[in-house]
Amino acid sequence: MSITTDQLRARAAGTFWLRLAAVALPLLMIAPAFWNGYPLLQWDTGGYLARWYEGYLVPSRSTVFGLYLHYGENFGFWINLAVQSLATLWLLQLTLRVLGLMQTFRFVAISLLLMLSTALPWLASMLLTDIFAGLSILSLFLLITGASRTSVLEKVSLFGFTAFAAATHSATLGVLLGLCVAGWMARPFLGRRLPIAGLAQASLTIVVGGLMLISANHALSGKWAWTPGGYGVAFGRMMQDGIVARYLGDHCPHESFKLCPYRNELPATADEFLWGTSMFNTLGRFEGLNDEMGNIVVHSLADYPAWQAGAALRAMGQQLLHVATGEGASVWIPHTYGIIERYIPAQVAPMRAARQQNRGVNFDYVNWLHVPVALVSMLALVGLLGHALANRRLDDLTLLAATVTLALLGNAFICGVISGPHDRYGARMVWVATFVVLMALFGSSGDDEPAEETSAAPCQEIQHAGLVDLVADRAHVVAARNIEHFRTGDDRP
C-alpha cells in the first residue's frame, strides 16, 4: 500500500511535535519550582523530612512519604519533583487513552490548561503529599475500569502507585477506601462496568498501603503502629466550633481535666491551639493531652449529637468552597527551615536563596484565576452528571465524573469534619474536576480525526488489512486507519 509524500510529511511533523511535548511538558509541570529556584516547601514539609532522622512517630506525618523525600535529598529534591511531574503526565495521558480520547493535540492542550488554571503545577512542584491525593483518584479509577485496556506493566504500576499514595496520608487512604466501598455497593447495579477483578485489586491497594505504612513506622521507630494524631486533629476542629468550651463548662465542676483551668482561654482556631503558642504546649502537646482529647472527642459526640451533626455538615460545605492554591507555602515556616538546617545542611544555601524564603511567592494573583475555575469546574461536574442522568447514559467519562464527585465529597467530609476547612485540602483534589470537564469539552468538540487507540495486546484483529497502517507512536504500536479508501474490482459499494 503506497504512502503519499504529504502523508509522510504530516507524520514527521506529528512526531516532531510529540517529541517536543514529551520534553517540554514535564518541565512546564514543575515550572513554579524552577521559577522559585528550589522545590516549594510548606508548613508540614519539615515534619516529613525529620522522620528519617528523628526515629519516632509524630501525628499526621507519614513515614512512607518521609522516606520518599529522604531518597531525594542528595539531588536537592529535584528527583522527587521529576517523579511527581512524570507521574502526573503519565496518569493524564493514560486516562485519556483508556477513555478513548487520546490525541497528541488534545493531551497537550488539556495539560497546558491545567497548568495555567489550576493548582496542579504548584502541587507537583512542592515537597508535600498533596499531589498524590488527586492523582490517586485517577489511578484507582483506571485500576478498576481499565483492565482490558491497559498492559500488565501498567496494571502493576497503577497498583503500586495507588498503594503508595494511600500510605502517604490518612485522608487520602480514607477517600480511596470510601471509593472502593462505593464501588462494591454499586457493583450489583452497574455489572460489568465495575469488574470484580478491578474492584478486588483496588481494594487490595488499601491493604497494601496500610501495611506499607505500618512497616515503615516499625523500620524507623521500632513500633508496629499506625501514624498517631487522629484525636488531636478532631479535637481542634471541635474546639474551633465551640463544642470543647461547652463540654468543659458542663463537666469541669465535677471532673478534673487538665484543660479545665484554661476553658475560658481557648484559642479561636484549631491551628492556633495545635501549632501556635497555646496551652497545648504547656500541657505536653500530643503526649500529654492525647488521652484527654480523645475522651472529650468521644463523649462530646454522645452529649451533643445534634450540634455535632450540624457542625459536621457546615464544615463539609465550607470545605467544598475552600479551594485556593498555596495555603501554608506563602508564609514564614520556621519549623521546616529548622529541620533542613539541622539535618540537611547541604541544602541550606539553595533553600535560603529561593524566592519563597525571600517572601517572593504570592498566591493572591494566581487565585484570582484558580478559585473561580475550581468552583465552576465543580458546578460543571454536577452538570455533566445531571445531563448523563437525564439521557440515561453511563459511558466511561460519566463514570469518571461520578467517581471524582464522590471523591470530592468524601475529601470534604473527612478533612472538613476532622481537621476543619482548609484551602489546602480542597486545592489538592479539585483540579481533577477541571480535568474531567476539559475532557468532556474536548471530547464533544467534533474532531475530524479519531482518537489514538492503544492496546495492551501485542496485536489487534484487523478486519480489512488494506485500510490499516501500523505506525510507531512513542513506545507503543498503534493501529491507525488511513483516510483514503482504495477500491478494487471486488470492493462492494
Side-chain angles (χ1 to χ4, degrees):
M1 184 177 189
S2 62
I3 300 176
T4 66
T5 302
D6 289 342
Q7 288 174 317
L8 290 174
R9 287 176 178 173
R11 191 169 296 173
T15 301
F16 168 77
W17 289 112
L18 185 65
R19 290 175 178 172
L20 180 62
V23 173
L25 287 179
L27 298 177
L28 290 173
M29 186 60 72
I30 52 175
F34 290 123
W35 171 80
N36 183 52
Y38 194 74
L40 291 166
L41 307 174
Q42 203 262 0
W43 283 51
D44 297 344
T45 303
Y48 293 108
L49 289 172
R51 300 288 48 79
W52 172 263
Y53 297 98
E54 293 180 346
Y56 58 85
L57 306 180
V58 297
S60 303
R61 299 295 176 263
S62 165
T63 52
V64 172
F65 189 72
L67 288 171
Y68 161 77
L69 291 182
H70 173 68
Y71 290 122
E73 288 176 10
N74 293 333
F75 303 92
F77 301 107
W78 290 103
I79 192 170
N80 300 100
L81 299 195
V83 168
Q84 291 167 193
S85 175
L86 293 173
T88 300
L89 292 168
W90 169 60
L91 285 167
L92 293 182
Q93 69 83 24
L94 188 58
T95 302
L96 287 167
R97 200 194 84 199
V98 168
L99 270 62
L101 296 172
M102 180 60 193
Q103 286 181 337
T104 301
F105 170 78
R106 181 181 286 142
F107 169 58
V108 172
I110 289 177
S111 298
L112 290 176
L113 286 171
L114 288 173
M115 293 177 198
L116 291 171
S117 64
T118 74
L120 184 57
W122 298 92
L123 299 173
S125 298
M126 193 173 294
L127 301 181
L128 200 62
T129 64
D130 291 6
I131 183 63
F132 298 105
L135 292 178
S136 64
I137 306 305
L138 298 178
S139 64
L140 189 83
F141 175 82
L142 296 173
L143 196 61
I144 294 174
T145 64
S148 62
R149 291 163 283 181
T150 52
S151 68
V152 173
L153 178 59
E154 287 168 336
K155 290 184 182 67
V156 172
S157 300
L158 288 169
F159 186 96
F161 181 88
T162 309
F164 170 77
T168 62
H169 200 284
S170 295
T172 301
L173 186 147
V175 171
L176 296 177
L177 177 60
L179 290 176
C180 289
V181 171
W184 284 110
M185 293 175 64
R187 176 65 175 68
F189 305 99
L190 300 182
R192 289 179 296 176
R193 299 308 301 271
L194 295 176
I196 291 179
L199 284 170
Q201 291 171 16
S203 302
L204 191 57
T205 63
I206 309 300
V207 177
V208 172
L211 293 175
M212 193 183 300
L213 180 60
I214 293 173
S215 299
N217 286 348
H218 180 265
L220 291 184
S221 71
K223 298 179 180 179
W224 293 104
W226 197 262
T227 303
Y231 280 129
V233 176
F235 178 91
R237 197 272 303 168
M238 292 181 187
M239 186 205 67
Q240 187 168 288
D241 290 330
I243 296 173
V244 170
R246 170 68 179 277
Y247 184 88
L248 292 174
D250 290 345
H251 291 265
C252 281
H254 51 272
E255 294 187 52
S256 56
F257 290 113
K258 296 178 183 178
L259 284 167
C260 283
Y262 304 94
R263 64 182 182 275
N264 296 320
E265 305 171 20
L266 295 175
T269 68
D271 286 339
E272 290 178 63
F273 178 74
L274 294 172
W275 316 117
T277 56
S278 70
M279 66 288 299
F280 186 60
N281 294 333
T282 305
L283 297 175
R285 296 188 63 77
F286 290 99
E287 289 186 7
L289 277 179
N290 195 59
D291 292 340
E292 182 167 309
M293 290 189 297
N295 186 308
I296 293 174
V297 166
V298 172
H299 287 88
S300 65
L301 286 170
D303 285 4
Y304 319 114
W307 190 356
Q308 291 279 14
L313 288 175
R314 284 194 301 273
M316 181 179 176
Q318 291 169 4
Q319 181 58 71
L320 288 171
L321 300 178
H322 280 65
V323 291
T325 300
E327 183 184 27
S330 59
V331 295
W332 190 248
I333 44 179
H335 178 259
T336 294
Y337 303 150
I339 292 297
I340 292 175
E341 291 168 358
R342 184 184 310 166
Y343 297 120
I344 321 172
Q347 294 299 313
V348 171
M351 181 267 291
R352 287 178 175 170
R355 289 176 184 266
Q356 184 184 20
Q357 279 59 258
N358 292 280
R359 306 299 178 94
V361 178
N362 188 334
F363 290 95
D364 291 342
Y365 299 106
V366 298
N367 280 319
W368 288 348
L369 177 63
H370 288 189
V371 171
V373 167
L375 297 177
V376 169
S377 296
M378 287 191 286
L379 288 175
L381 195 65
V382 175
L384 282 175
L385 289 176
H387 183 265
L389 183 63
N391 290 275
R392 297 183 178 181
R393 187 185 74 242
L394 183 61
D395 55 14
D396 287 337
L397 188 60
T398 302
L399 193 59
L400 177 57
T403 301
V404 173
T405 301
L406 287 175
L408 289 172
L409 291 173
N411 179 70
F413 178 80
I414 292 172
C415 295
V417 172
I418 296 178
S419 299
H422 285 78
D423 283 308
R424 172 195 163 193
Y425 302 145
R428 70 187 182 190
M429 297 285 289
V430 74
W431 69 265
V432 189
T434 309
F435 178 46
V436 175
V437 172
L438 288 174
M439 282 195 290
L441 291 174
F442 277 85
S444 62
S445 61
D447 296 318
D448 293 329
E449 297 181 6
E452 298 167 7
E453 298 177 1
T454 58
S455 172
C459 62
Q460 296 179 337
E461 183 179 354
I462 301 175
Q463 299 295 333
H464 196 310
L467 298 180
V468 177
D469 286 334
L470 293 178
V471 298
D473 181 7
R474 292 185 184 177
H476 302 284
V477 175
V478 301
R481 295 184 180 277
N482 281 337
I483 60 175
E484 299 182 15
H485 291 263
F486 294 88
R487 297 181 179 273
T488 64
D490 296 333
D491 285 343
R492 298 179 182 179

